[in-house]
Amino acid sequence: MENTEKKKVILSGIQPSGAFTLGNYVGAIKNWAKLQDDYSCLYMIADMHAITVRQDPAKLRRNTLEAYAAIVACGVDPENSVAFIQSHVPTHGMLNWLLACNTQFGELSRMTQFKDKSAKHADDVNAGLFTYPVLMAADILAYNADLVPVGVDQKQHLELTRDIAQRFNQRYGELFTLPDGYIPPQGAKIMSLSDPTKKMSKSDENQNSCVYILDDKDTIIRKFKRAVTDSDSCVKYAEGKDGINNLITIYSVVTGKSVEDVEREFDGKGYGDFKLAVGEAVADHLAPVREKFNDLMKNKDYLVSCYKRGDETAFKISSRIVSKAYHKAGFVDR
């Protein structure tokens, strides 16, 4: 008998802030491809979110196109998922204003990410940085997404989205689905190779701390050889061994082996052998991604046709929901 059960809707986005790191890949984008068979997936390049921090316009345009190519290279299928560019879909901005008028100033002022980014960009604490979580809520609620893959740093924003949706539903009548977070069971957080107590970040000044998905094999192996570990030499996942735990997690994710399998494989071997093996496994795993990305960037007409189709589908879906929201709020129908 045919299964007619409606698939749940997943929405996720990534900012076009330069080349994706192994952390971005393992924590988010690698899982996007896996979700496509079981869910109705919407994936966006969040270029509107990117401008809360000052951007060079030409670089932003290039990064946006490269980010789109990268998610396709990592397995997002534009035929199977709705893959689009946020700024191309005007309903996000339309819903943003309506939701902003249903969000309390106090709620936004409690967002820890605003405090962190304000301290980091003290010369440009703009209103967009403050109201960014409302636009994120609009991104999610415009599609009535059931699930949102979120990192630990975005959980607070997802909670706010649920609060905004609930408040709107109570004031104007049921419309918005209250989204839940989807956190992948493994590898959700990849740490820096030079300081394994910190998350891997492209903004880290030490270039050896961060592996990019487009790094060549020699660069990847060199970075893993320099990865910080402890004075022990036993490849075991244990408390207080942040560096080796991080490498075990990475190796486990790219090979599909369990932590126990990894420990057995390297029983009696030292950290040097293990670091080399992790570097080679990561480089081999990412080789098809690099190859496909390079092919896509040589075929820009195909890329444009993909995002145009995604933009149109995203607009069509979100227009229905945003029109209902406008009607419920008392705006005259167009």
Side-chain angles (χ1 to χ4, degrees):
M1 192 174 133
E2 192 187 340
N3 183 10
T4 54
E5 192 180 332
K6 197 166 175 279
K7 286 182 177 179
K8 286 194 168 183
V9 175
I10 274 192
L11 177 125
S12 195
I14 193 158
Q15 288 194 30
S17 53
F20 297 156
T21 68
L22 181 66
N24 298 139
Y25 175 73
V26 169
I29 309 161
K30 184 174 184 282
N31 297 298
W32 289 9
K34 292 179 186 171
L35 297 170
Q36 292 175 121
D37 293 333
D38 300 321
Y39 299 95
S40 291
C41 297
L42 296 124
Y43 295 129
M44 70 173 185
I45 306 302
D47 55 343
M48 290 168 77
H49 288 305
I51 64 167
T52 56
V53 173
R54 213 168 283 140
Q55 300 283 341
D56 172 79
K59 202 172 171 187
L60 177 62
R61 265 189 290 276
R62 185 174 69 249
N63 284 348
T64 300
L65 196 61
E66 287 183 354
Y68 193 92
I71 66 169
V72 175
C74 290
V76 168
D77 179 1
E79 303 281 339
N80 193 18
S81 295
V82 182
F84 64 99
I85 296 172
Q86 184 188 23
S87 65
H88 290 185
V89 186
T91 39
H92 291 240
M94 290 166 66
L95 187 57
N96 175 46
W97 177 251
L98 184 54
L99 297 182
C101 295
N102 286 277
T103 305
Q104 299 304 301
F105 186 89
E107 289 175 312
L108 292 174
S109 62
R110 285 194 290 274
M111 296 292 115
T112 53
Q113 207 174 62
F114 171 69
K115 292 169 190 170
D116 295 345
K117 285 198 173 181
S118 297
K120 205 171 174 185
H121 303 279
D123 61 331
D124 186 26
V125 185
N126 60 74
L129 195 61
F130 186 69
T131 61
Y132 156 93
V134 183
L135 180 56
M136 182 176 160
D139 299 332
I140 297 164
L141 300 179
Y143 302 94
N144 263 341
D146 298 291
L147 295 167
V148 183
V150 284
V152 180
D153 56 343
Q154 292 288 351
K155 280 178 85 173
Q156 195 184 24
H157 290 169
L158 186 64
E159 284 304 316
L160 180 65
T161 299
R162 288 173 60 87
D163 292 342
I164 295 168
Q166 205 159 20
R167 185 177 298 130
F168 187 96
N169 289 348
Q170 284 166 353
R171 283 181 181 171
Y172 301 113
E174 287 296 317
L175 173 63
F176 293 126
T177 300
L178 269 56
D180 287 314
Y182 174 89
I183 297 173
Q186 180 180 256
K189 206 170 184 183
I190 298 299
M191 311 308 280
S192 159
L193 298 186
S194 60
D195 180 0
T197 61
K198 288 194 316 192
K199 194 173 157 184
M200 185 179 282
S201 169
K202 63 185 79 170
S203 61
D204 199 310
E205 286 174 15
N206 183 348
Q207 283 303 297
N208 290 315
S209 70
C210 185
V211 171
Y212 296 98
I213 64 169
L214 301 176
D215 279 345
D216 61 51
K217 185 166 187 170
D218 289 347
T219 303
I220 291 172
I221 289 171
R222 189 185 74 246
K223 286 179 179 179
F224 276 104
K225 278 183 176 174
R226 292 177 180 172
V228 169
T229 48
D230 51 75
S231 56
D232 192 6
S233 61
C234 182
V235 180
K236 280 267 180 206
Y237 198 100
E239 197 175 334
K241 289 166 63 97
D242 297 326
I244 209 70
N245 292 350
N246 188 38
L247 296 183
I248 289 172
T249 298
I250 292 168
Y251 189 75
S252 168
V253 168
V254 299
T255 60
K257 295 173 182 175
S258 70
V259 170
E260 292 76 19
D261 288 342
V262 178
E263 289 174 342
R264 269 195 298 274
E265 186 181 341
F266 292 92
D267 186 28
K269 292 181 183 174
Y271 283 176
D273 289 339
F274 183 52
K275 286 180 184 181
L276 179 62
V278 178
E280 286 182 337
V282 169
D284 291 346
H285 184 82
L286 292 175
V289 173
R290 288 193 299 277
E291 200 176 313
K292 188 163 184 188
F293 173 84
N294 291 331
D295 288 345
L296 287 164
M297 290 307 292
K298 287 175 197 160
N299 188 358
K300 292 212 176 110
D301 288 347
Y302 172 72
L303 267 186
V304 172
S305 72
C306 287
Y307 74 64
K308 275 189 173 176
R309 184 168 63 243
D311 298 343
E312 284 164 14
T313 307
F315 182 64
K316 197 173 171 184
I317 297 166
S318 56
S319 288
R320 289 197 292 267
I321 294 161
V322 174
S323 293
K324 284 179 186 174
Y326 266 41
H327 180 81
K328 280 180 178 291
F331 293 148
V332 173
D333 296 338
R334 284 197 291 173

